[in-house]
Amino acid sequence: MSNRHLFQQSGFVKAPFYNGFNRYVCQLKRITLKFCKEYGGSRGLRDFIEQNLVDFARENPQVVVYVKPRRHRSPVLVAEYLDGHREWMSLHNFQRDECYRWIHNMLTASGDQSIRYRKLWHTENPSIQGVWNPFTNRDPALNIATFPLKDMRRPANMPPTATELILEMAAQKEKMKELQTGKTEESKTEDSHV
């Protein structure tokens, strides 16, 4: 078992410059393909250059593609990102479709170095109240309630139905009648005492 991850830089999940919140900006700015015209290990990269490179450049005009032939050297892919990070990869004895997949991988990558994540979530503005959960703003009486509850069957923000409104209006009307009859009886008793 390797302990390599212990020495790896650690950090949080992030998007470069909040990329994708308003619009997406491809982070790859330059690809350099270094290969040999005769070397057998460069065959897959040469096939990619002959058959797919023009279409790739046409589909991705935001990426500058440099092709650099070198004699008797192993094929190399160098990707440079907007943040200045450079990624280097050997394409020795790769097939054409493998070269295409790795170039597409570099195209969709953010350019950040591989890091060990401290947590799987992170916020720039932490809350002093803690992390939200479904019980954050609930009534504490629910802690000792016996379920199922009739009140909990409906969504909390659902408006009352027409039947419920009519029943509530009828109950208010009865209360008003009771208050009025109570006042009239009080006034009769006061009149009789005078």
Side-chain angles (χ1 to χ4, degrees):
M1 187 166 151
S2 173
N3 292 331
R4 188 171 52 121
H5 65 280
L6 296 175
F7 305 105
Q8 195 174 22
Q9 183 181 2
S10 66
F12 296 104
V13 178
K14 63 180 179 175
F17 304 115
Y18 297 99
N19 195 10
F21 283 92
N22 292 328
R23 66 186 184 101
Y24 174 73
V25 177
C26 180
Q27 296 297 300
L28 183 66
K29 69 175 181 180
R30 185 180 303 132
I31 286 183
T32 306
L33 302 172
K34 301 176 182 179
F35 69 100
C36 178
K37 292 182 181 179
E38 296 133 10
Y39 185 57
S42 295
R43 182 180 182 104
L45 185 58
R46 285 197 309 266
D47 290 345
F48 173 79
I49 291 170
E50 291 171 4
Q51 298 175 14
N52 300 87
L53 186 62
V54 174
D55 294 333
F56 177 81
R58 199 172 286 137
E59 290 170 5
N60 303 294
Q62 72 276 11
V63 179
V64 180
V65 180
Y66 292 108
V67 178
K68 187 175 181 182
R70 307 180 307 166
R71 294 188 64 153
H72 309 297
R73 298 271 184 91
S74 182
V76 172
L77 164 67
V78 180
E80 297 178 41
Y81 294 92
L82 290 175
D83 64 353
H85 177 68
R86 293 183 72 198
E87 204 164 324
W88 180 94
M89 182 178 181
S90 174
L91 299 177
H92 183 71
N93 286 333
F94 279 29
Q95 300 298 321
R96 178 175 58 94
D97 59 332
E98 290 176 311
C99 293
Y100 178 77
R101 275 188 253 142
W102 277 108
I103 290 171
H104 187 71
N105 182 30
M106 301 284 187
L107 176 72
T108 56
S110 67
D112 288 338
Q113 295 178 354
S114 297
I115 59 172
R116 178 175 48 90
Y117 291 135
R118 293 184 203 163
K119 293 183 181 178
L120 295 179
W121 60 270
H122 177 68
T123 179
E124 297 296 327
N125 305 311
S127 170
I128 60 170
Q129 299 172 349
V131 181
W132 180 89
N133 63 49
F135 302 103
T136 299
N137 298 317
R138 293 288 181 141
D139 184 16
L142 292 175
N143 293 337
I144 57 172
T146 306
F147 290 97
L149 290 175
K150 279 190 172 182
D151 298 340
M152 297 293 290
R153 290 183 184 168
R154 297 177 49 181
N157 57 356
M158 187 172 177
T161 62
T163 306
E164 292 170 345
L165 289 172
I166 291 173
L167 291 173
E168 187 179 331
M169 289 169 54
Q172 288 177 354
K173 202 170 194 180
E174 283 185 29
K175 284 182 185 177
M176 292 296 287
K177 280 184 182 179
E178 288 175 7
L179 289 174
Q180 287 177 356
T181 56
K183 285 182 183 178
T184 54
E185 288 177 6
E186 286 177 13
S187 60
K188 287 180 185 177
T189 55
E190 287 177 11
D191 291 340
S192 64
H193 289 298
V194 174

